[in-house]
Amino acid sequence: MTSQQVRVHNLTVSRDGYAAGEGQSLERPFGHADLAELMAWILGTASFPGRTTPGGSRGVDDHLAREFHRHVGAEIMGRHKFGPQRGPWSDHEWTGWWGAEPPFHTPVFVMTHHERPSFTLADTTFHFVGGEPEDVLRQALAAADGKDVRLGGGADTVRQFLDAGLVDTIHVAVAPLDLGGGSRLWTSHDELTDRYEHDVVPGRHGVVHHLYWRE
Amino acid sequence: MTSQQVRVHNLTVSRDGYAAGEGQSLERPFGHADLAELMAWILGTASFPGRTTPGGSRGVDDHLAREFHRHVGAEIMGRHKFGPQRGPWSDHEWTGWWGAEPPFHTPVFVMTHHERPSFTLADTTFHFVGGEPEDVLRQALAAADGKDVRLGGGADTVRQFLDAGLVDTIHVAVAPLDLGGGSRLWTSHDELTDRYEHDVVPGRHGVVHHLYWRE
């Protein structure tokens, strides 16, 4: 057995299963979803990957937030996590939502059918890759230098990898709100229990953490 | 930075800081401590490393219990974790407390001043090594094949490695009982907060999980 795993961390969905709302735009990466409400459980933790100020809460939520970086050597993300554009890249000005110091610190593979040169911000290099999940994963595993690959989302990308049987462990936080539409991960958290072991851990702010892994 | 870490997992101590009682013997690996009482938080979990029957509880305790195996490529343990004998090995009949299938599944380095040949049980090989913590750790890191090294205890061994500054992450479960004597890890869980970040997570059966890591 290889020691490299494919992991989903901190993917937050509404009670009705949406990881983002409808109408993504430059101003609203999560569409009509209220980011602060959806992500309340993690935004206040000490270890929130995008945190730029000291302080923050500890406890179960923070413990799970910290898993984001542990033993991760590369990330795969869908194009809609990287930005709101659709179709061919009209320019290369857009470098993601994360500013000059993205919180990844590893190679990141952005899945897109449209070619674009790689570029580097601080210690994160973004590669733009087409092909099936298996092809993208092969490149990410090679780049991860023996460490794990984080599957960063969004929901569509995670579902593609789940359908291909490529995901080893999954952490989904279910937030206490409904979105009614958008980018859907699942209809029910029971959908994965035929293929995965399942653990449920309650967190703060009404969030419920669902953990899945393969024996 | 190397990606290999030195980790302590599921080390359970009493409120007064003892990981085992006094009077270790063949019949009582934890001396006068009541093993079922001290370890109540983990013995009933689905992922308890020594579990041989199906079932068991999930939740925070089980999540922490599962960390035991994740990305671990070798264990270091003190001689008293391996067995109750003292002094030179009088025979090689004793092969540890764990029967024919030890729950480690990696090389295990038993720290002892007395020579003994290595032996293998199922997929666990026990090596008997002398020297300082740094020397033992060097061998364990090499054997771990890029993965982490678990520091398995007991308390004396963990303290040696802490004093040498060799431990990266620590999970100590504090059980709701006092032992009054035995093998002591600490006087207070605050002793490590000058060197480590610190998180506290309550579990079942009155246990409190203390998590430490270096930024």
Side-chain angles (χ1 to χ4, degrees), chain A residues 3 7 47 58-60 62-64 66-67 70-71 147-148 197-201 211 213 215, chain B residues 3 7 47 58-60 62-64 66-67 70-71 147-148 197-201 211 213 215:
Chain A
S3 66
R7 301 159 31 187
S47 306
R58 300 293 191 186
V60 167
D62 195 59
H63 175 68
L64 291 170
R66 290 199 299 277
E67 301 277 298
R70 280 187 48 188
H71 286 283
K147 296 193 192 179
D148 293 344
E197 301 291 311
H198 179 220
D199 195 353
V200 178
V201 176
L211 308 168
W213 69 100
E215 283 293 329
Chain B
S3 66
R7 300 159 30 187
S47 305
R58 299 292 191 185
V60 167
D62 195 58
H63 175 68
L64 291 169
R66 290 200 299 276
E67 302 276 300
R70 279 187 50 190
H71 286 283
K147 295 191 193 181
D148 293 344
E197 300 290 312
H198 179 220
D199 195 353
V200 178
V201 176
L211 308 169
W213 69 97
E215 284 294 329

Side-chain angles (χ1 to χ4, degrees), chain A residues 10-214:
Chain A
N10 305 344
L11 179 63
T12 306
V13 304
S14 59
R15 265 188 313 241
D16 52 351
Y18 296 98
E22 294 169 329
Q24 187 190 45
S25 67
L26 268 180
E27 294 72 32
R28 298 194 66 86
F30 286 74
H32 80 278
D34 180 335
L35 186 58
E37 193 184 358
L38 185 66
M39 300 290 190
W41 74 271
I42 193 170
L43 292 173
T45 60
S47 306
F48 172 56
R51 189 173 193 86
T52 53
T53 53
S57 65
R58 300 293 191 186
V60 167
D61 298 318
D62 195 59
H63 175 68
L64 291 170
R66 290 199 299 277
E67 301 277 298
F68 183 83
H69 286 301
R70 280 187 48 188
H71 286 283
V72 169
E75 163 149 336
I76 294 169
M77 65 171 66
R79 182 178 182 179
H80 299 179
K81 177 169 172 179
F82 178 75
Q85 303 83 6
R86 306 292 185 262
W89 301 97
S90 56
D91 65 60
H92 298 162
E93 289 297 304
W94 177 259
T95 56
W97 311 98
W98 305 280
E101 297 203 13
F104 306 107
H105 313 294
T106 67
V108 171
F109 293 83
V110 180
M111 293 179 76
T112 169
H113 299 299
H114 302 282
E115 291 191 9
R116 179 174 166 170
S118 302
F119 68 89
T120 299
L121 285 175
D123 54 357
T124 298
T125 297
F126 291 90
H127 302 289
F128 299 85
V129 292
E132 294 300 306
E134 289 84 351
D135 306 322
V136 176
L137 180 56
R138 199 173 304 118
Q139 297 175 67
L141 286 169
D145 194 25
K147 296 193 192 179
D148 293 344
V149 171
R150 186 194 311 110
L151 185 56
D156 293 340
T157 303
V158 172
R159 276 197 286 103
Q160 279 184 55
F161 279 75
L162 285 171
D163 290 347
L166 298 175
V167 187
D168 294 303
T169 70
I170 304 156
H171 164 220
V172 175
V174 177
L177 64 127
D178 292 312
L179 287 176
S183 174
R184 190 165 210 160
L185 177 67
W186 59 31
T187 303
S188 158
H189 60 78
D190 286 342
E191 284 174 19
L192 302 179
T193 53
D194 58 334
R195 287 164 284 168
Y196 292 93
E197 301 291 311
H198 179 220
D199 195 353
V200 178
V201 176
R204 298 188 321 146
H205 302 292
V207 78
V208 178
H209 299 290
H210 292 264
L211 308 168
Y212 303 86
W213 69 100
R214 304 201 267 216

Side-chain angles (χ1 to χ4, degrees), chain B residues 114-159:
Chain B
H114 302 283
E115 291 192 8
R116 178 174 168 171
S118 302
F119 68 89
T120 299
L121 285 175
D123 54 358
T124 298
T125 297
F126 291 89
H127 302 289
F128 299 85
V129 291
E132 295 300 307
E134 288 84 350
D135 306 322
V136 176
L137 179 56
R138 199 173 304 118
Q139 296 174 68
L141 286 169
D145 194 24
K147 295 191 193 181
D148 293 344
V149 171
R150 187 195 310 109
L151 185 55
D156 293 340
T157 303
V158 172
R159 275 196 288 102

